[in-house]
Amino acid sequence: MKRIDRSNKVRSFHQARWNESVIFELSQKGERGILIPKAGSGIEEALRSTDQLLSDKMKRKTAPALPEISQPRVLRHYMRISQETLGADVNIEIGQGTCTVKYSPKVNEQLARLPEMTELHPKQDPATVQGILQIMHETDLYMREISGMDRFTFQPSGGSQAIMTMAAIARAYHEKNGEGEQRDELITTIYSHPSDAAAPAVLGYKIIYIHPDEDGYPDFEAFRTVVGPKTAAFFVANPEDTGVYNTKVKNFTDLVHQNGGLCGYDQANANGLLGVTRAKEAGFDMCFFNLHKTFSTPHGCGGPAVGATGVSKELVPFLPAPLIDREGDTYFMNTDFADKEFGIGKVRLFNGVAPVVLKAYAWMRSLGAEGLYEVAKIAVLNNNYMFKKLMEIPCVDAPYTKGKQRIEQVRYTLGKLTEDTGITSGDIQRRMMDFGMHYWTSHHPYYVPEPATLEPTETPSKEDIDEYVATLKQIFEEAYNDPEIIRTAPHNSVCHQLDESEMDDPDKWAPSWRVYLRKTQ
Amino acid sequence: MRKIGFIVNPIAGMGGRVGLKGTDGVLEEALIRGAVPSAPDKAMRGLRKLLSQKNNWQILTGEGELGERISRELEFKTNVVYRPAGTKTSGADTVGLAKALVLEHVDLILFAGGDGTARDLVAAHIGETPVVGIPAGVKVHSPVFATHPETAGELALRYLMGNKRRKREAEVLDISEKDYRAGNVVTELFGYLSVPDGAGLLQNRKAPSPASEASAQREIAMELIASMEAGVAYLLGPGTTTREVSLSLYQPFTLLGVDVILDKKAILIDATEQQLIGVCREHPCRLVVTPTGGQGFLLGRGNQQISPAVLEMIGPENMIVVATTGKLAELQHRPLMIDTGDLKTDDAFKGYTRIITGFSASVVYPVRSGSASYISNS
């Protein structure tokens, strides 16, 4: 069979563009999706009137303001919107560094949509939901093996909530030891995820950030000056967003322990670590995995998700309840483990998002232990292949640890490109959309000038990576020869440049249709 | 119809190429050495970015080389609002033109020059009229300049096209060219100008926009005020971040001087060294300082009234450093600097310090002693 040559081929692309309204604007009075037939006389007699089924307190005074719209129009509406998005199912998805967007096998999605799963209710008698309880219990066991922790909860519904859970556990632990008030400081690094600071801050912790030293590792000398009797915990990602792995992380965790604090490992993205390193051996007391990143569950437009949170034996009594345990052949919801006075209680209803746990379980079972290790190896190989190719381009650089490899992602800098041409990394981001590709800069503030954070994961083939790099290369050439085409981009996307000037103005924010109407009418 | 002020300092940058480290007061020498004007070309590259709006917008400028020639060459609607007295232009013409532009209520001033030109704009008291600097001088240390002539035009365009026009204050810094030529770098803070605040047009999913500098400064002020102790005098050094403390307490202040707050009331405005020594004798003191933009000087630049004698009385444990993370990011991990002129004092204040960056948030950061390690290229 003839093989298609994909070397240096940059794809021609134009995104669908519909001037589609918000669904509320499509509403026409009296229009219906389904006309529900009138109940038969026998049923009506048995129930008398629906009015009597509900008490007056539970009844709405007014009808809900739902859009009135027929089925074909609903279908068209959502199909059009779906055509106006980019993502891993339509193109090479390398450009969302730190997000770990990988291919999630569709068979796992099918599993999660089986009626055996979708028809379950969390309030069912445990005897009737033994299957999912077993899956949750076994997923817990796998996570323990992967991390070295002693127990996992699946209640937190994402990374930030997992971090909040870790901070709440740290507080409970110190309160039990009578040091809750004294230990009010939490240390993190500027290249850990911003939620490692933000979530504990919500709980009232004072946050102290560590900058990198000259080599790009968290500055241990700076760290030493702030660890002490006020330290509640140290939360850090490793590798950090730069893709640099701190091999001396154990020195940090040891110092915190010597001073009575706890250590939490942000392993939201553990794609380069599976089967390679574990939180326990690095000296951590807690860690969490975002199942929608590393464990392929996948990102569902911001949810649903699970931030699986694991802790060492000493901290198990503080975990949110219940946990799933096994006695003989029966799985049950256990609340006895919890410290009744200091346990943190619930962080979410029930046991977290069960279909997400199921998908992660199926993914791990399909790969096995060796397969998970293979995922990490390929993710790191892919990243370092792309790293080498990009670093060969004169206007691309990456600060820190010169000459060394990175783990699963890299934060690059296009400072030279901007200096030479005036084209910024943000401009490149808009131009990449003309080729159907994502490209992400960095969290704010930009400590790395004109940053770009790229993470291939194990999904793309060599040809995919080559195509992504070739596209970037073409845009860099445009920057030097025809910068106007970049400054005025995107040209082939759903919409042109947006006016961001009102983004910081709370008066202009409209988180719902009702708020939008109130603010614009 | 938007009205854009356009100022060109035609001699800016002439000293640089012939090795004079600036053009202030040495234009004749520069001309003898064979310098040719480069600023008009850069000014044109910047102004060209507004061409898409040439039928809608009007350029208000000065006669001839002060901007008129370039504006007309690009076929903008051009309105001359200032004519220089003599044939040779000077800083006085920048001041005169800027004043005329403010009277015309221009929406923004696009100017081409260097730090000296920016100082002329400060001298013209243009108030809150936003400016964008096209880098065309030998010294362009002040963060009122864009990185590139084209970027300057782009920034002006994006700001003027935006529905919400947000500004922030940027420092006007300059080094004494005489000292610079002799090999010493002494930066002084001359004032502030309003500049457009990060008017990006990015489709940036994870980072919709940075919290504005102003709200970051308010957070810092709230943190500081919440921790203020009764009977302790707080010496607030120069800068917009420390000013926010006075503003939040509804107290008078100076932007470039040192103000003293006691029990949440201002007891001294623009204090001298001797006055500060007096305060230190009477009260326990805390010193609140913020680093200079771009260079990161905590002490010894723009706040010399906080002298080694004052610092010795305060002690390093009572120094509180405040800075927004945006300002720290600009330093690119370079350490903060202390250069009081007294090595013993410098040594006492160096080491790691905790910088307050927001409410309940701080950064551990190195402070070194010595003179400037960083000069931006021009």
Side-chain angles (χ1 to χ4, degrees), chain A residues 86-309:
Chain A
L86 297 176
D89 283 356
V90 291
N91 206 0
I92 303 159
E93 187 61 284
I94 283 176
Q96 302 221 41
T98 80
C99 275
T100 321
V101 181
K102 58 169 74 179
Y103 176 67
S104 299
K106 298 301 173 220
V107 65
N108 298 341
E109 196 61 40
Q110 284 173 344
L111 270 180
R113 293 184 192 190
L114 289 175
E116 286 83 346
M117 187 69 227
T118 56
E119 302 293 309
L120 294 183
H121 193 280
K123 289 209 151 181
Q124 264 173 258
D125 186 324
T128 65
V129 289
Q130 285 292 299
I132 188 65
L133 292 184
Q134 179 183 352
I135 283 167
M136 286 181 156
H137 181 70
E138 289 180 7
T139 306
D140 175 8
L141 296 179
Y142 299 155
M143 298 268 155
R144 294 186 208 177
E145 192 66 37
I146 291 167
S147 66
M149 294 289 109
D150 293 310
R151 202 67 212 251
F152 271 81
T153 172
F154 303 116
Q155 263 188 34
S157 57
S160 296
Q161 204 177 14
I163 296 165
M164 180 105 91
T165 303
M166 293 202 305
I169 289 171
R171 188 166 64 184
Y173 169 83
H174 293 308
E175 275 174 1
K176 181 156 190 175
N177 293 336
E179 294 185 330
E181 276 189 29
Q182 166 200 332
R183 294 187 182 272
D184 63 351
E185 294 180 347
L186 193 138
I187 307 168
T188 184
T189 64
I190 60 162
Y191 287 133
S192 291
H193 193 280
S195 288
D196 287 312
V202 170
L203 288 185
Y205 277 114
K206 293 179 181 158
I207 309 301
I208 303 169
Y209 294 89
I210 306 293
H211 272 243
D213 63 15
E214 280 162 10
D215 298 324
Y217 304 107
D219 186 341
F220 189 66
E221 291 309 310
F223 187 67
R224 257 224 276 255
T225 66
V226 290
V227 179
K230 289 184 170 181
T231 306
F234 169 52
F235 286 0
V236 72
N238 192 26
E240 295 182 283
D241 282 359
T242 49
V244 173
Y245 184 83
N246 177 12
T247 52
K248 295 188 175 130
V249 67
K250 187 78 167 46
N251 296 350
F252 287 73
T253 53
D254 283 349
L255 186 67
V256 172
H257 288 148
Q258 284 159 23
N259 284 275
L262 293 174
C263 298
Y265 196 163
D266 176 346
Q267 293 198 294
N269 168 359
N271 225 36
L273 305 174
L274 295 172
V276 184
T277 67
R278 303 202 308 173
K280 181 185 184 176
E281 281 72 23
F284 287 91
D285 311 288
M286 299 177 269
C287 77
F288 74 93
F289 300 114
N290 278 1
L291 300 191
H292 54 278
K293 290 187 177 179
T294 307
F295 293 92
S296 174
T297 65
H299 293 63
C301 289
V306 169
T309 306

Side-chain angles (χ1 to χ4, degrees), chain A residues 15 30 60 67 104 156 167 195 202 210 261 334-335 437 456 460 463:
Chain A
Q15 190 143 27
R60 298 182 63 108
S104 299
S195 288
V202 170
I210 306 293
N334 183 357
T335 54
M437 286 174 179
E463 285 85 354

Side-chain angles (χ1 to χ4, degrees), chain A residues 46 52 60 63 84 100 111 127 161 175 180 190 228 270 272 356 381 400 433 471 474 478 487 491 495 502:
Chain A
Q52 292 163 9
R60 298 182 63 108
E84 294 187 319
T100 321
L111 270 180
Q161 204 177 14
E175 275 174 1
I190 60 162
V356 172
L381 177 65
Y400 316 122
M433 308 197 82
T471 308
Q474 173 169 319
E478 287 172 353
R487 287 204 181 91
H491 308 280
C495 55
E502 290 169 335

Side-chain angles (χ1 to χ4, degrees), chain A residues 307-454:
Chain A
T309 306
V311 299
S312 64
K313 200 174 281 168
E314 203 179 359
L315 299 177
V316 171
F318 306 108
L319 278 175
L323 296 171
I324 313 302
D325 269 319
R326 178 181 178 174
E327 204 172 313
D329 286 336
T330 310
Y331 298 90
F332 68 102
M333 282 182 261
N334 183 357
T335 54
D336 291 343
F337 71 91
D339 186 311
K340 298 293 176 278
E341 191 180 352
F342 293 98
I344 69 166
K346 283 190 167 296
V347 298
R348 194 182 201 280
L349 283 175
F350 310 116
N351 278 301
V353 186
V356 172
V357 179
L358 169 67
K359 282 185 255 183
Y361 175 82
W363 187 74
M364 285 191 281
R365 288 298 299 256
S366 71
L367 287 164
E370 287 302 316
L372 291 179
Y373 180 42
E374 191 75 9
V375 163
K377 284 196 290 189
I378 295 174
V380 174
L381 177 65
N382 275 350
N383 181 49
N384 284 287
Y385 171 69
M386 191 166 86
F387 184 35
K388 184 162 187 307
K389 284 202 77 161
L390 282 171
M391 291 294 275
E392 285 165 4
I393 304 173
C395 65
V396 180
D397 200 1
Y400 316 122
T401 59
K402 290 280 173 219
K404 287 190 179 169
Q405 294 187 348
R406 300 293 165 100
I407 309 297
E408 85 306 354
Q409 65 187 23
V410 179
R411 180 153 297 160
Y412 300 89
T413 175
L414 298 180
K416 183 169 167 21
L417 180 88
T418 307
E419 220 166 85
D420 290 348
T421 66
I423 294 293
T424 65
S425 188
D427 294 329
I428 301 285
Q429 182 177 41
R430 277 184 287 108
R431 180 63 175 149
M432 279 297 267
M433 308 197 82
D434 285 337
F435 300 90
M437 286 174 179
H438 276 131
Y439 168 103
W440 187 56
T441 53
S442 150
H443 303 111
H444 284 267
Y446 287 174
Y447 288 106
V448 171
E450 300 306 329
T453 314
L454 309 175

Side-chain angles (χ1 to χ4, degrees), chain A residues 96 98-99 185 191 206-209 211 219 221-222 225-226 400 419 426-427 429-430 433 440-441 444 446-447 449 484 487 496 498-505, chain B residues 49 148 150-151 154 158 161-164 166 200-212 325-326 328-329 332-333 352 354 360-365 368:
Chain A
Q96 302 221 41
T98 80
C99 275
E185 294 180 347
Y191 287 133
K206 293 179 181 158
I207 309 301
I208 303 169
Y209 294 89
H211 272 243
D219 186 341
E221 291 309 310
T225 66
V226 290
Y400 316 122
E419 220 166 85
D427 294 329
Q429 182 177 41
R430 277 184 287 108
M433 308 197 82
W440 187 56
T441 53
H444 284 267
Y446 287 174
Y447 288 106
E484 213 45 38
R487 287 204 181 91
H496 197 55
L498 299 172
D499 177 5
E500 269 197 3
S501 63
E502 290 169 335
M503 201 87 102
D504 265 354
D505 183 358
Chain B
K49 298 308 298 179
H148 230 249
E150 283 80 6
T151 324
E154 190 73 23
R158 289 180 183 192
M161 300 285 282
N163 283 332
K164 173 95 182 176
R166 203 177 48 232
L201 291 161
L202 317 177
Q203 294 186 13
N204 203 342
R205 195 179 65 82
K206 244 187 177 176
S209 62
S212 71
T325 51
L328 285 181
Q332 303 290 315
H333 307 316
Y352 283 99
R354 264 167 80 168
S360 278
S362 60
V363 162
V364 199
Y365 209 83
R368 304 253 163 89

Side-chain angles (χ1 to χ4, degrees), chain B residues 37-222:
Chain B
S38 61
D41 176 50
K42 289 177 177 161
M44 186 182 254
R45 281 163 57 197
L47 188 64
R48 185 174 280 140
K49 298 308 298 179
L50 307 184
L51 273 177
S52 61
Q53 299 301 319
K54 104 177 149 180
N55 295 325
N56 310 325
W57 296 356
Q58 191 184 21
I59 303 294
L60 283 66
T61 184
E63 192 180 49
E65 287 302 303
L66 287 175
E68 181 194 4
R69 179 180 63 79
I70 292 168
S71 179
R72 290 204 195 281
E73 257 181 65
L74 293 174
E75 297 176 346
F76 278 98
K77 290 178 197 162
T78 307
N79 184 0
V80 174
V81 296
Y82 176 84
R83 291 171 207 283
T87 47
K88 284 183 196 165
T89 61
S90 70
D93 292 312
T94 305
V95 176
L97 173 51
K99 283 183 170 167
L101 292 174
V102 171
L103 288 177
E104 294 285 341
H105 302 290
V106 291
D107 294 281
L108 174 137
I109 296 175
L110 186 64
F111 75 98
D115 287 328
T117 320
R119 276 174 65 181
D120 291 334
L121 291 180
V122 173
H125 299 292
I126 61 169
E128 292 188 1
T129 307
V131 306
V132 175
I134 298 171
V138 181
K139 301 162 295 154
V140 281
H141 300 87
S142 307
V144 298
F145 289 100
T147 52
H148 230 249
E150 283 80 6
T151 324
E154 190 73 23
L155 188 62
L157 182 72
R158 289 180 183 192
Y159 172 76
L160 292 166
M161 300 285 282
N163 283 332
K164 173 95 182 176
R165 300 207 227 149
R166 203 177 48 232
K167 296 180 286 191
R168 64 181 169 86
E169 285 166 302
E171 295 153 305
V172 174
L173 306 166
D174 200 3
I175 55 178
S176 149
E177 287 185 10
K178 211 169 137 219
D179 288 338
Y180 187 24
R181 287 185 196 110
N184 303 322
V185 178
V186 181
T187 314
E188 290 291 344
L189 173 64
F190 284 90
Y192 290 83
L193 292 171
S194 280
V195 296
D197 187 8
L201 291 161
L202 317 177
Q203 294 186 13
N204 203 342
R205 195 179 65 82
K206 244 187 177 176
S209 62
S212 71
E213 189 75 358
S215 67
Q217 290 180 342
R218 261 195 304 281
E219 261 195 60
I220 291 169
M222 290 305 142

